[in-house]
């Protein structure tokens, strides 16, 4: 298993060992001790699963007072997964990192607390599972509009929820976080 550090501190790509044979495959999708050794020293308290069609863009989402770290993987299809640093005093505020995750490569992305998360669907359908380090709290939810962080999304006209379409810009979010 490989834990690949990215240009953003704490954002880690996980490449698991996959054992394949004529029957199919086997892999560990999480092992607490190994993940701690690999730089992900968090306890996970909630698992989520979403299903989306091609062109859907979900994000950019975060929580303010109870930020969630997320360990994300595409169990069906392929996504472009993104982490954006939204820590207002961080040297890398507003910087983003994006990675393709798919059912064929089994890679995972760890998005640490203090980062917004989003993804777009590249395949006909994608199912995404992710583990969270804190519980979801609707009243604590914050986010930034998908097109306000300079992300080089691989889709031109995303399908957005009304809530995501109405999110503030990253600059507006920063003002809220600094208040």
């Amino acid at each position: 298993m490989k834990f690949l550090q990215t240009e953003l501190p704490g954002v880690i790509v996980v490449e698991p060992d996959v054992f394949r044979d004529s029957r199919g495959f086997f892999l560990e999708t999480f092992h607490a001790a190994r993940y701690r050794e690999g730089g992900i020293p968090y306890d996970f308290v909630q698992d989520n699963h979403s299903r989306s069609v091609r062109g859907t863009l979900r994000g950019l989402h975060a929580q303010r007072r109870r930020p969630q770290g997320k360990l994300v993987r595409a169990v069906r299809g392929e996504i472009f997964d993104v982490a954006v640093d939204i820590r207002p005093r961080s040297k890398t505020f507003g910087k983003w990192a994006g990675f393709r995750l798919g059912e064929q490569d089994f890679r995972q992305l760890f998005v640490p607390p203090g980062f917004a998360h989003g993804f777009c669907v590249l395949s006909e359908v994608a199912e995404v599972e992710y583990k969270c380090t804190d519980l979801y709290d609707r009243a604590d939810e914050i986010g930034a509009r998908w097109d306000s962080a300079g992300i080089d999304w691989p889709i031109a006209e995303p399908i957005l929820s009304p809530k995501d379409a109405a999110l503030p810009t990253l600059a507006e979010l920063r003002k809220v976080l600094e208040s």
Side-chain angles (χ1 to χ4, degrees), residues 113-170:
F115 285 70
H117 173 250
F119 67 87
C120 67
V121 178
L122 304 175
S123 53
E124 285 302 312
V125 172
E127 292 192 33
V128 176
E129 290 185 343
Y130 55 100
K131 304 176 97 43
C132 299
T133 61
D134 208 334
L135 299 174
Y136 172 73
D137 180 355
R138 181 182 307 266
D140 197 33
E141 191 172 22
I142 56 173
R145 207 171 64 223
W146 69 279
D147 60 352
S148 67
I151 298 167
D152 188 16
W153 294 102
I155 58 174
E157 296 181 29
I159 302 167
L160 302 169
S161 71
K163 180 180 84 172
D164 286 355
L167 286 171
T169 66
L170 184 60

Side-chain angles (χ1 to χ4, degrees), residues 27-38:
L27 74 144
E28 285 183 347
T29 60
F30 180 73
H31 185 290
R34 286 192 182 117
Y35 278 61
R36 284 184 198 290
E37 290 170 9

Side-chain angles (χ1 to χ4, degrees), residues 8-9 83-88 90-96 114-116 170:
L8 292 177
V84 180
D85 189 347
I86 60 166
R87 301 169 298 169
S90 170
K91 292 178 186 175
T92 57
F93 178 88
K95 302 285 187 201
W96 62 274
F115 285 70
L170 184 60

Side-chain angles (χ1 to χ4, degrees), residues 20-25:
R20 301 172 196 261
D21 62 23
S22 61
R23 300 167 297 164
F25 66 84

Side-chain angles (χ1 to χ4, degrees), residues 7-29:
E7 62 273 10
L8 292 177
V11 176
I12 299 171
V13 175
V14 181
E15 293 183 348
D17 295 326
V18 182
F19 303 94
R20 301 172 196 261
D21 62 23
S22 61
R23 300 167 297 164
F25 66 84
F26 173 84
L27 74 144
E28 285 183 347
T29 60

